Amino acid sequence: MPSRKFADGEVVRGRWPGSSLYYEVEILSHDSGSQLYTVKYKDGTELELKESDIKPLTSFRQRKSGSASSSPSRRRGSRSRSRSRSPGRPPRSSRRSASASHQADIKEMRKEVLEVKLTPLVLKPFGNSISRYNGETERTERGGMPHRHAEEKFHVSEERSYVSAQYSLRPRREEIKETDSKEENIVTTTRSASPRTSEAPATQTKDLEFGGVPGVLLIMLGLPACLCLLLLMCEQKEPSLLNFPPPLPAWQDLWETRVFGVYVLWFLMQALFYLLPVGKVVEGMPLADGRRLKYRLNGFCALLLTSAVIGAAVFWGADLHYVYGHFLQFALAAAAFSLGLSVYLAVRAAGAPPGALAPSSSGNAIYDFFIGRELNPRIGTFDLKYFCELRPGLIGWVVVNLAMLLAEMRLQNRAAPSLAMTLVNSFQLLYVVDALWNEEALLTTMDITHDGFGFMLAFGDLAWVPFIYSFQAFYLVGHPNEVSWPMASLIIALKLCGYVIFRGANSQKNAFRKNPADPKLAHLKTIHTSTGKDLLVSGWWGFVRHPNYLGDLLMALAWSLPCGFGHALPYFYVAYFTVLLVHREARDERHCRRRYGLAWEQYCRRVPYRILPRVY
């Protein structure tokens, strides 16, 4: 096997494909199989070049010195110039122009087909848009122009060779035609030299997630059924798989109009708190057209106001036991409301302009109904997706837990809640308070920047979160479990360990996004990428690739342990959450590999473990 001529990190001159021009490049790697060098130009473009297209810097310096010394008069610094010409030098009138010379070079390559992998040029994004939550897709270029693919493949044929040779290493406003493909598609195309506008592209056919249309249909039918069956099983005194499925109640016991009205009032109350002019206003991540939407951060204030309203209602005689007594009806009311909201979102998204569509949308009506077609549906300044992410469901989760605590005291004739119920309520309250206190971090998550707002998020936020995440508290009302203080101490230690990892990793990531040059972060090691972004490879993010997911899983286990080991039902949340995070981690991996390319492969070698050390 032939030996390589240039070493990694060496600075040389590389010929730009389709031209005779050489530019300064850095050797990144060498493929011994194809004998191609991966080089990086000064503007961040990465190409694969043959060894014959690479020259050492010294060869250009020697040529320059030789040219300078060709005339004795120039060496003496004289102003006089000889009017005689060497026999091989053509007359001035016959010299070729730069463009004619360029066309001649192209003509010599007419029969050659070039296949090069080109990383699109990416300029420094706006403000604090340094990265995305857990590797979600970066989409901003100069002037707010989006890019979607990390690699594209160009075939320069005989007819297109001249057009394809017009690439410049300088940043410019021309862009290739974008696609919405989620997987790393290789497309065959050519570029024109005329500027493009920042109009968003039309949605194209792509590989669909969640099993495509059959998968999302199964999820949309299965999730509400799973929610009802879990709650019905939990209501049994002795839940068992032998008694599955549990007996279904009559229709009048499943649906109650008054319960639906209470849920609608709850939703409207949270919407009113969202509209209050309190809390700071921040800008979100840049959209495809370069705009930044504004968001008011008052989620924690909404939690405090809700606590005051609930406290006043209980003081004046309101009975929260009503929530426990009609828990299944409330869950179905939330599911029906989320379905109605999803229909509204699908209807309004049908007339949305292309620039308002989510990157995850596909053009398929069923799939887009599930994943969401419109990225940021708003009624005036009221952002529906951002509101539903944290307010009705997350704060409702706290209220449901409080209702279960009071129901336990009443049904079990307790003067105070059990230690197990206290642990569950305290752990989950801390989780909700942390999410609302750090509300700004939501703006960089995949839910906000990539996924549209459809049934997936509507049902998850409004029905699944408040009625499945509170499953441990609901279970303890009918299945009490006494926890000793030594066991409680171990559970508390597990919870704190998970929270420290979760909060430390997220805080480190968010601080790096806002200001990578912060002196407090100077000790962190990074890998530079061709997009201009840096990947953290030390601190929490050098331990595993997704330390925040690891912290989440530890906290989920701590929530379930107070329920004991009498049944597997309380651990459904742990199993579900594991599947959710593993699936999301796989989505993150695909996005990051497509965006960062070689740098991501280097990062994976530095940080080989994904969520749990020594598991993958």
Side-chain angles (χ1 to χ4, degrees), residues 393-450:
L394 212 64
I395 299 177
W397 176 14
V398 175
V399 176
V400 168
N401 275 354
L402 177 62
M404 298 304 158
L405 184 146
L406 297 176
E408 181 199 52
M409 294 174 61
R410 173 185 291 188
L411 296 179
Q412 299 178 17
N413 297 319
R414 291 177 177 268
S418 66
L419 180 56
M421 180 67 78
T422 303
L423 290 176
V424 169
N425 269 257
S426 302
F427 291 166
Q428 296 181 352
L429 177 62
L430 174 62
Y431 189 85
V432 172
V433 169
D434 177 86
L436 295 173
W437 184 262
N438 298 281
E439 185 179 3
E440 187 175 359
L442 177 68
L443 300 178
T444 59
T445 62
M446 182 182 289
D447 289 351
I448 298 295
T449 62
H450 182 265

Side-chain angles (χ1 to χ4, degrees), residues 480-491:
N481 180 60
E482 298 299 329
V483 178
S484 64
W485 277 106
M487 176 59 70
S489 301
L490 293 177
I491 296 174

Side-chain angles (χ1 to χ4, degrees), residues 349-533:
L357 302 184
S360 60
S361 62
S362 67
N364 182 283
I366 298 177
Y367 184 83
D368 287 349
F369 179 84
F370 172 78
I371 200 72
R373 180 171 172 80
E374 193 172 359
L375 182 62
N376 299 292
R378 287 191 165 202
I379 302 175
T381 60
F382 191 93
D383 193 295
L384 291 170
K385 180 169 70 171
Y386 178 72
F387 165 72
C388 290
E389 278 284 304
L390 291 181
R391 310 306 177 90
L394 212 64
I395 299 177
W397 176 14
V398 175
V399 176
V400 168
N401 275 354
L402 177 62
M404 298 304 158
L405 184 146
L406 297 176
E408 181 199 52
M409 294 174 61
R410 173 185 291 188
L411 296 179
Q412 299 178 17
N413 297 319
R414 291 177 177 268
S418 66
L419 180 56
M421 180 67 78
T422 303
L423 290 176
V424 169
N425 269 257
S426 302
F427 291 166
Q428 296 181 352
L429 177 62
L430 174 62
Y431 189 85
V432 172
V433 169
D434 177 86
L436 295 173
W437 184 262
N438 298 281
E439 185 179 3
E440 187 175 359
L442 177 68
L443 300 178
T444 59
T445 62
M446 182 182 289
D447 289 351
I448 298 295
T449 62
H450 182 265
D451 294 335
F453 191 33
F455 181 85
M456 180 182 73
L457 290 180
F459 182 84
D461 294 336
L462 302 180
W464 193 260
V465 168
F467 297 100
I468 291 297
Y469 284 31
S470 60
F471 197 66
Q472 291 86 0
F474 183 57
Y475 177 85
L476 286 173
V477 175
H479 308 84
N481 180 60
E482 298 299 329
V483 178
S484 64
W485 277 106
M487 176 59 70
S489 301
L490 293 177
I491 296 174
I492 293 173
L494 179 64
K495 163 66 179 182
L496 293 179
C497 179
Y499 179 75
V500 167
I501 296 174
F502 172 81
R503 178 42 46 208
N506 280 327
S507 297
Q508 193 174 77
K509 176 188 63 179
N510 294 331
F512 187 77
R513 282 175 176 169
K514 290 181 179 180
N515 183 16
D518 190 342
K520 297 179 181 179
L521 307 176
H523 65 285
L524 297 177
K525 297 179 181 179
T526 61
I527 294 177
H528 191 67
T529 70
S530 60
T531 66
K533 306 292 181 287

Side-chain angles (χ1 to χ4, degrees), residues 106-293:
I106 299 303
K107 194 174 296 183
E108 295 175 1
M109 303 170 58
R110 287 282 179 172
K111 297 180 180 181
E112 183 178 357
V113 177
L114 299 177
E115 292 186 0
V116 295
K117 292 183 179 179
L118 173 62
T119 301
L121 308 181
V122 181
L123 302 182
K124 186 175 182 179
F126 304 91
N128 64 349
S129 59
I130 300 302
S131 60
R132 291 283 194 272
Y133 166 74
N134 294 325
E136 290 152 23
T137 314
E138 189 68 35
R139 305 192 180 273
T140 305
E141 288 189 7
R142 185 175 180 177
M145 304 283 282
H147 78 273
R148 300 262 171 85
H149 288 288
E151 291 186 351
E152 298 203 354
K153 194 172 185 179
F154 293 87
H155 294 268
V156 187
S157 62
E158 180 177 348
E159 294 78 5
R160 299 289 184 178
S161 59
Y162 177 75
V163 175
S164 300
Q166 301 304 309
Y167 289 102
S168 170
L169 289 182
R170 295 174 298 169
R172 62 183 188 175
R173 293 184 181 273
E174 290 89 348
E175 292 187 325
I176 60 174
K177 185 178 182 181
E178 304 166 32
T179 66
D180 283 327
S181 176
K182 299 180 79 65
E183 302 297 332
E184 188 173 358
N185 297 328
I186 298 181
V187 296
T188 303
T189 183
T190 57
R191 272 192 187 178
S192 65
S194 59
R196 290 184 71 247
T197 62
S198 59
E199 182 180 359
T203 305
Q204 300 182 3
T205 303
K206 61 180 73 176
D207 293 332
L208 305 182
E209 296 183 295
F210 302 99
V213 174
V216 300
L217 279 174
L218 183 62
I219 293 174
M220 287 190 288
L221 294 175
L223 283 181
C226 179
L227 174 64
C228 293
L229 289 176
L230 285 172
L231 296 183
L232 288 173
M233 288 186 67
C234 196
E235 288 180 343
Q236 294 179 334
K237 291 184 178 181
E238 296 294 335
S240 173
L241 293 177
L242 299 177
N243 299 328
F244 185 87
L248 295 177
W251 168 251
Q252 56 268 23
D253 295 329
L254 287 174
W255 180 262
E256 188 173 325
T257 306
R258 180 185 177 186
V259 171
F260 183 79
V262 173
Y263 184 84
V264 172
L265 287 177
W266 165 260
F267 187 90
L268 294 177
M269 183 180 75
Q270 293 303 318
L272 176 62
F273 292 161
Y274 174 80
L275 293 173
L276 293 178
V278 295
K280 67 177 181 178
V281 177
V282 300
E283 292 183 337
M285 308 305 290
L287 302 177
D289 57 4
R291 295 183 301 116
R292 286 170 173 261
L293 299 178

Side-chain angles (χ1 to χ4, degrees), residues 532-555:
K533 306 292 181 287
D534 292 333
L535 298 174
L536 285 173
V537 291
S538 64
W540 289 110
W541 299 90
F543 180 54
V544 290
R545 296 181 208 169
H546 301 279
N548 51 342
Y549 290 179
L550 174 59
D552 246 334
L553 288 175
L554 294 178
M555 288 191 292

